[in-house]
Amino acid sequence: MTHQSAPDLLRQSLGRAKPLLWLNEDRIAVSEALAASSVRGEAVREAADAFQRWRPALRTLFPGAMVDGSIASPLERLREASSVLGYPLSGDVLLKRDDLLPVAGSVKARGGFHEVLGHAEALAMSRGLSREEALSTPAARAIFGQYAVAVGSTGNLGLAIGTVAAALGFRATVHMSHEAKAWKKARLREAGAEVVEHAGDYAAAVAAGRAIAAARDDTYFVDDENSLPLFLGYAAAAWELAAQLEAEGVRVDAAHPLFVYLPCGVGGAPCGIAFGLKQVFGDAVHCFLAEPVAAPCMLARLAIGPGISVYDIGLDNRTAADGLAVPTASELAWEATHRLLSGAFTVPDDLLFSLVARAHTLLGLRLEPSAVAGFTGPGWIEDSEEGRRYLSRLGTGVRPTHLLWCTGGSLVPDAEHAANCERGHGAPA
Ligand SMILES: *Cc1c(COP(=O)(O)O)cnc(C)c1O
């Protein structure tokens, strides 16, 4: 009799593009995991403080687009949760509206602005400017004009980096993969960035950008596969959320666990946010990653092992969730969170479109397909065998609060959003 190991079975299910929930058996207590982590906990607080310090500069750089210079988004209660999600639920559902983040319209504003502003501030200060004049003064602009910032992206990271780099006065170059939408390229060019189009996938666009930037000593490359400043910019969101939950009177403790569902591409954004949340809420927060069935790169990295790409499992990385179309996960994101994450699940594209459509019809939201990937999470937890087992281990009568991290969409043009909704209304619920 031949035995198939659990990883082999999982690999087969993933390879058949079957939606599934995977629970992380390597998870350990937060205190232990953070003590062993290569990322310092205080660095998250420092990132949150930096965003406060940069508020006046951001107001100057983006007059009109920023209310008060903060890179922050609303927390809302989801009305009609069962109708929007398409299944019954007992726990309350919250939405974190990073689709409304200023300027970039996606979660990438957090990581991208943190890395570029941090780089700019350090560069200006190394050239003799004070911290106060380091970002938005004519003297700073004159310095930045001698340098370039480059990035490889499926779209949204390029949009965030290209926009802020160009606004500071850098030459900005964005290497885009084939899935990148035409409107994202057009918008970047309008903002003054140079867009280089690549025929390959996300990993190929990043590699090409990295190689071109390495050959030039005036160019700073934002490396989405391996960037601590990006990771920390995302992680800082945890402090913002903590203040909002407190203001809303939402308790988070062992008896009131918070379940957070995070759309995942290369892993920087969701794992960074998860890392920050674990710092702030400890074992009372449970973080799950959401990935398209065609591109579950972080689930594969967590469950199967290093170096794996979604192509190795027989998948094609083709998904309408362009922000999540990533073949191989970030090792930095994996390393920092593989003992903190609770699990990961996969979602088929037709369901993403139908969720985009329902969120629009019932709530008037404009979300892109990537941004609704987490919406099946509460169903997996409350309504699957594995999910109920996970919940029951937290004690009897524990009622979770679910938080869906909405990662992008407010900049999607009308025609594209209408087409997404139309596709969703035709798709099965
Ligand atoms: C980039 C992105 C994500 C995922 O972030 P990663 O750092 O790539 O894991 C999720 N949603 C949207 C809309 C994105 O643009």
Side-chain angles (χ1 to χ4, degrees):
M1 200 172 112
T2 57
H3 265 308
Q4 276 195 309
S5 67
D8 282 343
L9 286 174
L10 178 75
R11 201 182 168 115
Q12 281 175 14
S13 300
L14 287 174
R16 286 200 301 269
K18 183 175 176 285
L20 55 86
L21 168 68
W22 170 84
L23 295 176
N24 182 13
E25 301 299 336
D26 288 341
R27 188 169 58 101
I28 55 176
V30 170
S31 52
E32 271 176 74
L34 293 179
S37 168
S38 54
V39 181
R40 284 181 313 117
E42 310 85 81
V44 180
R45 190 74 241 189
E46 285 159 24
D49 293 344
F51 276 116
Q52 293 302 319
R53 180 169 78 238
W54 295 331
R55 282 169 58 182
L58 281 167
R59 269 202 313 266
T60 310
L61 290 168
F62 298 104
M66 300 246 181
V67 184
D68 62 356
S70 35
I71 300 293
S73 74
L75 178 70
E76 292 170 1
R77 285 181 190 273
L78 177 59
R79 295 170 280 119
E80 305 197 54
S82 297
S83 334
V84 178
L85 300 177
Y87 50 82
L89 263 187
S90 80
D92 289 339
V93 183
L94 304 172
L95 300 179
K96 183 62 177 148
R97 300 287 311 276
D98 275 7
D99 53 302
L100 298 178
L101 280 175
V103 182
S106 84
V107 65
K108 299 301 193 309
R110 299 185 183 277
F113 279 42
H114 181 251
E115 175 146 12
V116 174
L117 292 170
H119 164 65
E121 188 179 61
L123 176 63
M125 289 172 70
S126 78
R127 299 282 299 267
L129 299 195
S130 71
R131 209 183 266 290
E132 290 65 39
E133 50 185 12
L135 287 177
S136 55
T137 57
R141 213 181 160 76
I143 295 170
F144 302 150
Q146 301 159 24
Y147 294 92
V149 170
V151 65
S153 170
T154 63
N156 283 343
L157 183 66
L159 211 50
I161 301 276
T163 311
V164 70
L168 285 159
F170 287 103
R171 282 175 286 120
T173 307
V174 180
H175 298 270
M176 294 276 213
S177 56
H178 65 75
E179 344 26 42
K181 307 275 183 217
W183 69 265
K184 293 184 182 173
K185 297 175 195 163
R187 201 177 163 104
L188 267 171
R189 289 186 172 119
E190 267 162 48
E194 184 198 352
V195 177
V196 183
E197 302 182 45
H198 294 270
D201 67 6
Y202 160 86
V206 173
R210 189 188 286 128
I212 294 167
R216 303 185 54 112
D217 53 14
D218 64 350
T219 302
Y220 179 86
F221 183 66
V222 176
D223 197 330
D224 193 25
E225 290 179 322
N226 189 29
S227 163
L228 186 59
L230 280 181
F231 186 85
L232 293 171
Y234 297 122
W239 290 105
E240 177 189 318
L241 179 68
Q244 290 173 321
L245 288 170
E246 193 175 342
E248 278 285 309
V250 178
R251 280 171 63 181
V252 180
D253 54 33
H256 304 88
L258 180 67
F259 279 64
V260 183
Y261 308 96
L262 298 149
C264 179
V266 75
C271 296
I273 293 169
F275 184 83
L277 292 173
K278 295 303 272 190
Q279 301 259 333
V280 174
F281 299 108
D283 296 314
V285 69
H286 302 265
C287 300
F288 291 84
L289 306 179
E291 299 186 297
V293 289
C297 67
M298 188 57 90
L299 200 168
R301 174 64 188 94
L302 286 159
I304 299 172
I308 193 154
S309 87
V310 301
Y311 306 124
D312 299 334
I313 342 176
L315 295 168
D316 62 6
N317 193 42
R318 296 270 170 176
T319 167
D322 55 331
L324 313 182
V326 175
T328 312
S330 158
E331 272 302 297
L332 183 151
W334 175 83
E335 174 64 42
T337 55
H338 67 109
R339 308 193 118 178
L340 293 169
L341 296 166
S342 291
F345 54 89
T346 56
V347 195
D349 273 26
D350 56 357
L351 188 49
L352 295 179
F353 283 110
S354 102
L355 288 162
V356 166
R358 284 204 293 264
H360 173 86
T361 308
L362 296 169
L363 305 167
L365 302 186
R366 178 176 301 223
L367 297 172
E368 60 187 273
S370 299
V372 296
F375 283 30
T376 59
W380 280 115
I381 294 304
E382 290 199 12
D383 207 26
S384 75
E385 201 184 308
E386 309 93 299
R388 280 197 298 265
R389 206 173 338 119
Y390 185 99
L391 265 184
S392 70
R393 275 191 246 136
L394 301 181
T396 46
V398 164
R399 193 163 160 272
T401 299
H402 304 285
L403 189 149
L404 309 173
W405 211 285
C406 302
T407 47
S410 59
L411 300 183
V412 175
D414 292 342
E416 176 157 332
H417 180 59
N420 287 345
C421 289
E422 194 169 325
R423 202 168 148 186
H425 285 306

